[in-house]
Amino acid sequence: MKHVKKKFFTVLFILFSFISQPLFSGDLNLSCYYKSFFNLMVPGNTGNGYEGFELPDLGMYSSKIRLKLSFSPTDRISFFAEYEIAPTMLDIEVLSSFQLISGMNPQGYRIMDLKDKLYPGENDQAGDFYINQNLDRFYATISFDFADFFIGRQVISWGSSYVINPTDIISPFNFNEIDKEEKTGVDAIRVRIPIGTMDEIDMGYVFGDDPGLDKSAFFVRGKFNIFKSDISLMILGFRENLMLGFDLSGSVGGAGLRLETAYVFDKLLDKDTPEDVKNNYFRLSVGVDYNFSSRLYSYLEYHYNSPGSDDSNNYLISFSKNSYIEGSVYLMGKHYISAGLTYQLHPLLPFSGFAIYNLSDNSVILSPSFEYNIKENIYISMGAFLSAGKKMRVAENNDLIMRSEFGSYPNLIYSSFRIYF
């Protein structure tokens, strides 16, 4: 394993060294941004249950500085790197309690990485303040007439649906992410082959901390424009699971139409997993959107999630399924309706909002937000994630009882400030 890591990064180093030779004759660009966030989480999720499970309000301040470097020594070769430092102030113990009711985090795909925390050190006691770092992009592109190659830490993202993307498994966003500007980079080798004016074949290998299929992923994806609609067909193998995906994006009568589906064969590529414990699953998102005017845009989407349950008593049990551990599934129910809109209150002040309704347990989450463009490249925003539904309780044996999905989520109010240089 160590030899594989060394070879991978040796190739990158040689490639980047080659790129850097004609430094003064190439196109070099450096940019950065600063963001700060203040979040207030209000649990309100224990109902009138037994004592012993009370979560306090959690205030958290975080910021991040992200440096972006791009360099193109020739028309065919480009190099990209992005590095981020993120100071944060919060109560670690309280945060762990919130993570208990916030769903599972997908496992990352990286061969090796920098140490997460710059402060405190490994031997220091964790406190309310820490500084994280993240080398989030580090890749080169090489363009030929027949194909484009991408080598290194990069973004791999799929799906056209609005809220839930069934095919976006490698590095997905949860619906309640506050900062969706940058997806997490993954270590991969990728090739895009154009086969027409708007058609292409996209294939690659994504590395985990072990190059074997038990920790890594591979994909082949074809994108075609047929009858003025974009259609994608894909095969994705990830951590010994196999997904067949389909994505359609088009329009009907002036309205946009999206259809995205994924069928996953659970542990199909693992010969050691008994057949009786494999649980194949299916996910679907279908939606429409429409511009009612130059100021008002709206969408409606239905999502089906077969790994979920129609019974809220089984929600916590679902987290033991492989679909939640490795498949980036986090919704607990089976049927959902989501709707959203953006309304331009002023050329510099848009209002956006969406709602997700769990049809199985009648819980809902609402997310209104405002953003104001103070001046060029400077923005402030405010928003919230407000939950409604039956609250979580604690049984006499101290087991958690979830009576609805979104009713168990904490309310979150946030504000942010962003400036780009």
Side-chain angles (χ1 to χ4, degrees), residues 121-353:
E122 294 181 1
N123 299 323
D124 298 331
Q125 184 176 358
D128 295 340
F129 175 75
Y130 62 91
I131 302 175
N132 277 1
Q133 65 173 344
N134 181 20
L135 180 60
D136 203 36
R137 306 285 187 273
F138 190 65
Y139 69 99
T141 65
I142 306 174
S143 298
F144 297 97
D145 293 337
F146 65 91
D148 296 322
F149 292 81
F150 303 78
I151 306 170
R153 185 161 297 169
Q154 58 193 280
V155 173
I156 295 181
S157 179
W158 301 297
S160 62
S161 298
Y162 315 103
V163 181
I164 309 298
N165 296 110
T167 63
D168 196 16
I169 291 177
I170 299 298
S171 183
F173 279 135
N174 289 0
F175 71 85
N176 56 354
E177 298 274 359
I178 295 175
D179 185 10
K180 292 186 176 183
E181 184 171 352
E182 309 280 0
K183 280 204 167 186
T184 301
V186 297
D187 295 340
I189 297 175
R190 186 177 194 179
V191 183
R192 286 180 173 173
I193 305 172
I195 55 175
T197 305
M198 303 181 68
D199 304 339
E200 70 175 18
I201 299 295
D202 184 9
M203 64 183 72
Y205 197 89
V206 186
F207 297 90
D209 57 10
D210 187 293
L213 288 179
D214 58 329
K215 294 295 183 70
S216 302
F218 66 88
F219 64 90
V220 179
R221 177 175 175 263
K223 182 180 179 182
F224 313 96
N225 187 269
I226 303 175
F227 301 115
K228 298 182 179 180
S229 297
D230 291 325
I231 295 177
S232 296
L233 302 171
M234 68 179 300
I235 297 175
L236 169 67
F238 65 98
R239 295 197 164 101
E240 298 182 327
N241 308 284
L242 186 70
M243 184 196 80
L244 301 180
F246 174 81
D247 189 8
L248 180 148
S249 177
S251 60
V252 177
L257 174 66
R258 307 281 195 281
L259 172 63
E260 186 179 347
T261 66
Y263 189 88
V264 177
F265 297 89
D266 186 32
K267 290 299 180 181
L268 179 69
L269 306 179
D270 181 10
K271 297 180 181 180
D272 296 328
T273 300
E275 292 295 328
D276 58 347
V277 301
K278 295 182 179 180
N279 294 294
N280 300 343
Y281 56 95
F282 176 70
R283 301 169 70 199
L284 173 146
S285 291
V286 57
V288 295
D289 67 290
Y290 192 77
N291 280 304
F292 290 93
S293 68
S294 60
R295 301 177 65 182
L296 177 61
Y297 164 83
S298 183
Y299 64 84
L300 181 68
E301 182 177 282
Y302 164 77
H303 179 63
Y304 174 69
N305 179 50
S306 77
S309 174
D310 288 321
D311 185 352
S312 60
N313 291 319
N314 296 327
Y315 282 169
L316 292 178
I317 299 175
S318 295
F319 285 144
S320 63
K321 296 179 181 179
N322 191 49
S323 52
Y324 289 82
I325 298 171
E326 297 182 345
S328 299
V329 176
Y330 60 91
L331 292 175
M332 303 176 191
K334 283 187 176 293
H335 304 279
Y336 296 84
I337 294 291
S338 60
L341 62 84
T342 297
Y343 184 74
Q344 205 72 29
L345 298 170
H346 180 274
L348 302 178
L349 181 62
F351 166 78
S352 298

